[in-house]
Amino acid sequence: MNDIRRSILWVVFGFSMVLIWDKWQIHNGRQPTFFPSASVSAPKDAGAAPAAAAADASLPAASGAAGVGTSAQAPADAPAPVTVSHEVSTDVFKLTFNSEGGSLVGATLLKHASGQLGTAPFQLLTQDANHTYVAQSGLIGGAFPNHKTPMTLVPGPTTLVDGQDTLTVKFESAEVGGVKLVKTYTLRRGSYEIGVSHEVINAGAAAVTPQLYVQLVRDGRKAESETPFYSTFTGPAVYTETQKYQKVEFKKIDDNKADFEKSATSGYVAMVQHYFASAWLLGNGVARENFVRKVDNSLYAVGAITTLAAVEPGQSLKLDAGLFVGPQEEKVLEKIAPGLELVKDYGWLTILAKPLYWLLEKIHGFVGNWGWSIVLLVVLIKAAFYWLNASAYRSMAKMKAINPRIMEMRERLKNNPQAMQQEMMKMYREEKVNPLGGCFPILIQIPVFIALYWVLLSSVEMRNAPWIGWITDLSTKDPFFVLPVVMAITTLVQTALNPLPPDPMQAKLMWLMPLVFSVMFFFFPAGLVLYWITNNILTITQQAYINNKLGVPLKITNPFELFKK
């Protein structure tokens, strides 16, 4: 390959990385880093959804109807009913239910800290002036009880005590249109899955055929665990047996371009954010219409509507559902429902990421420390690719060995490009060097390491997980920036061991690019930086060993001399 083509490839590669990064920022609703003039559409007022917005949220449209379901409202001259909050506690939850609709408007996860280990427990569901995220259900298709109807808590225990495995909390509505709705929440020890039973009692004089809806309502605010340098999906998701996992971005809802399977007899609807998720699950075989809609300025809903069988006067009908509210622990999610583990989003590399997570979890079972598990997993991956890497590094070593000759030849024939190209190709043939020999083996491994990157970024197990000394949380940045500095140094050493391009500009780019991208790692979670450092050290060790074996002097290029030229 001649120098011109090499230069073009380097320019294309560098520019592509810049474009990809900016597109990634735009995809996640952020301002682009390198080209700020690019427009970014984001949900309006995403950070300020007042509590009143959820209370005024319209009901989902009745299945097959064009209008919006009728809510049970008090007469215009009647005072608004007073809402009452009820707190319920288990070993993993502190839940808040509202008397308006018996809705779940607060969920604190007692075993997960809101920030660093030792801080207050993490609150997933909430309804306040800054953030709205609630779970609601009710009846439509007539003047029936819905999530805005006052409901009464049936007297009973509200705390799961020692020796007790289940706790039942029941809400009852008054009659609305001759129909009474009873919601029963069943909480189990150690479980983030809540059983929700909806019993429809017909106290009227005529048969009724209501529709039951379940929905999750959330504002468009991103999770606080994200930074401008990395982002995971936040928003609604729908899972069906035929179309599988379908993410719906807030922006597509704003633009009325949400694409997902609406009619199904299985699956779930979910609201997803970094590390945590909530999901409504109706039983398999229950026909339902899935919906995703914009409720208010920055308030979005995802849910499902199912038509119940006719309920005769004096009769009742019960439908059971499941409500998951908790962390994205892959093995736990797999046991709750098929496909629920997909809320832990690995993107397009799921096929590689899932076995990598499985292996990481197995290693953790032996060592009991997620930091050392990351180190050992990278060691195993590098060992698996050892011979492939060796082929690439041998090619690089040969290139480094003849690099001084190439530089001398370029200087000697700089005024005769054609002769320079011919002599360079001759030199490659005589030394049996392939300029691209080091690229292909490395390209094969890139998807594996990108998949591992997403495993570490998405795994809630990294939250509040200590490694050693000052690293007390692998999901947050190094507080003293020791790991990012070590990573930058190892990246530069790795660059120094590789053959520099003959062209001075290309050589300068090879030194500048690691420094530029190392800056981002100052804000990355410590677990990701640890993985990168381990990979760098193993790469340096293998490259140095092969260089020595081939008799290539272990001479590290001085970048300062390069930039003086």
Side-chain angles (χ1 to χ4, degrees):
M1 175 179 292
N2 59 42
D3 291 343
I4 295 176
R5 291 170 59 190
R6 185 191 292 271
S7 299
I8 292 173
L9 282 177
W10 270 107
V11 171
V12 170
F13 173 76
F15 193 67
S16 297
M17 293 297 293
V18 169
L19 290 178
I20 289 171
W21 178 254
D22 268 8
K23 288 295 183 182
W24 179 250
Q25 293 288 79
I26 294 170
H27 172 75
N28 289 286
R30 302 182 186 280
Q31 287 293 331
T33 304
F34 299 100
F35 299 99
S37 59
S39 61
V40 178
S41 298
K44 297 179 182 178
D45 303 319
D56 297 333
S58 60
L59 301 173
S63 179
V68 173
T70 305
S71 61
Q73 298 285 349
D77 56 350
V82 178
T83 61
V84 180
S85 296
H86 303 280
E87 290 191 351
V88 176
S89 298
T90 72
D91 59 325
V92 299
F93 276 137
K94 181 180 177 182
L95 303 176
T96 301
F97 294 92
N98 198 316
S99 61
E100 185 178 59
S103 300
L104 180 58
V105 297
T108 301
L109 311 184
L110 301 178
K111 294 188 176 181
H112 292 267
S114 57
Q116 291 288 337
L117 196 62
T119 57
F122 178 76
Q123 189 167 7
L124 181 57
L125 302 189
T126 186
Q127 188 176 25
D128 56 36
N130 299 316
H131 188 33
T132 296
Y133 189 179
V134 297
Q136 303 168 334
S137 62
L139 302 176
I140 54 174
F144 302 135
N146 53 57
H147 70 270
K148 301 170 78 173
T149 303
M151 301 188 79
T152 303
L153 175 66
V154 175
T158 56
T159 301
L160 186 69
V161 298
D162 292 341
Q164 186 180 2
D165 291 328
T166 61
L167 175 65
T168 300
V169 180
K170 183 180 292 187
F171 288 88
E172 293 182 352
S173 75
E175 289 183 22
V176 179
V179 172
K180 181 179 179 181
L181 177 63
V182 179
K183 291 185 188 180
T184 303
Y185 295 89
T186 302
L187 308 168
R188 300 176 183 82
R189 181 172 296 278
S191 177
Y192 293 100
E193 183 184 12
I194 305 170
V196 187
S197 172
H198 297 85
E199 184 179 9
V200 181
I201 302 172
N202 187 356
V208 295
T209 309
Q211 294 175 308
L212 172 71
Y213 68 89
V214 294
Q215 67 179 8
L216 298 161
V217 179
R218 188 188 189 281
D219 58 52
R221 191 176 72 170
K222 286 279 189 178
E224 294 179 356
S225 58
E226 298 182 359
T227 78
F229 292 98
Y230 65 89
S231 179
T232 57
F233 173 73
T234 298
V238 175
Y239 180 88
T240 63
E241 282 299 319
T242 54
Q243 296 296 322
K244 302 304 179 185
Y245 188 66
Q246 306 146 73
K247 297 184 291 186
V248 184
E249 298 175 9
F250 290 133
K251 185 179 183 300
K252 289 189 176 180
I253 302 174
D254 291 335
D255 298 338
N256 294 316
K257 295 180 180 179
D259 184 22
F260 60 94
E261 187 175 14
K262 296 178 175 60
S263 299
T265 57
S266 62
Y268 60 82
V269 292
M271 195 68 78
V272 183
Q273 67 182 60
H274 196 201
Y275 295 134
F276 300 96
S278 59
W280 275 109
L281 304 103
L282 298 176
N284 283 334
V286 176
R288 80 287 304 264
E289 290 291 322
N290 300 317
F291 66 86
V292 174
R293 63 198 177 93
K294 188 170 185 178
V295 176
D296 204 347
N297 234 2
S298 64
L299 211 59
Y300 304 85
V302 59
I305 302 171
T306 181
T307 302
L308 304 178
V311 184
E312 298 296 329
Q315 300 297 313
S316 65
L317 177 67
K318 184 184 291 186
L319 181 68
D320 293 328
L323 174 61
F324 171 81
V325 181
Q328 298 171 6
E329 296 174 349
E330 194 168 325
K331 297 302 178 183
V332 174
L333 297 173
E334 287 176 349
K335 296 176 182 178
I336 294 176
L340 188 57
E341 74 279 1
L342 295 176
V343 296
K344 182 181 179 182
D345 187 20
Y346 294 135
W348 60 281
L349 287 171
T350 299
I351 193 171
L352 294 175
K354 286 181 72 68
L356 286 174
Y357 172 79
W358 175 87
L359 184 55
L360 180 66
E361 187 184 47
K362 293 299 180 184
I363 295 172
H364 179 261
F366 285 101
V367 301
N369 181 291
W370 286 106
W372 291 118
S373 299
I374 293 170
V375 172
L376 290 176
L377 178 59
V378 177
V379 170
L380 289 177
I381 293 174
K382 291 294 286 187
F385 285 114
Y386 178 82
W387 298 111
L388 196 61
N389 283 327
S391 173
Y393 298 155
R394 277 195 295 268
S395 179
M396 291 181 186
K398 290 179 180 178
M399 282 293 297
K400 191 174 182 69
I402 67 171
N403 211 42
R405 294 168 55 191
I406 293 177
M407 297 294 290
E408 184 276 328
M409 180 269 296
R410 281 178 54 87
E411 184 64 26
R412 178 166 41 87
L413 299 176
K414 61 183 179 181
N415 296 323
N416 191 345
Q418 186 174 357
M420 182 195 302
Q421 179 181 350
Q422 292 175 351
E423 187 163 339
M424 186 179 296
M425 296 307 296
K426 179 182 178 182
M427 190 182 302
Y428 287 157
R429 285 195 302 269
E430 290 175 349
E431 299 295 336
K432 298 180 180 179
V433 173
N434 182 356
L436 295 178
C439 299
F440 183 67
I442 293 175
L443 288 175
I444 293 176
Q445 302 170 59
I446 287 177
V448 175
F449 282 97
I450 292 177
L452 179 55
Y453 169 93
W454 281 104
V455 167
L456 299 178
L457 181 62
S458 304
S459 294
V460 69
E461 291 85 352
M462 300 299 126
R463 284 189 95 244
N464 307 134
W467 178 41
I468 56 172
W470 74 102
I471 303 296
T472 58
D473 189 343
L474 289 168
S475 70
T476 61
K477 66 181 181 182
D478 183 338
F480 302 111
F481 302 108
V482 175
L483 291 181
V485 170
V486 173
M487 197 222 74
I489 293 172
T490 56
T491 303
L492 290 174
V493 172
Q494 184 180 343
T495 302
L497 288 174
N498 292 331
L500 291 177
D503 182 71
M505 181 56 68
Q506 296 173 27
K508 290 177 182 178
L509 282 175
M510 276 194 67
W511 281 102
L512 286 174
M513 288 179 66
L515 289 174
V516 171
F517 285 101
S518 292
V519 172
M520 294 187 296
F521 280 81
F522 277 73
F523 304 94
F524 271 45
L528 287 172
V529 183
L530 176 60
Y531 133 70
W532 205 265
I533 289 173
T534 306
N535 182 62
N536 282 358
I537 291 174
L538 293 174
T539 299
I540 290 168
T541 303
Q542 189 175 5
Q543 180 70 75
Y545 169 75
I546 291 175
N547 282 9
N548 181 67
K549 192 175 180 180
L550 293 178
V552 178
L554 191 60
K555 181 182 178 182
I556 297 180
T557 307
N558 186 348
F560 296 105
E561 294 181 0
L562 184 67
F563 284 91
K564 286 179 182 178
K565 297 179 180 180

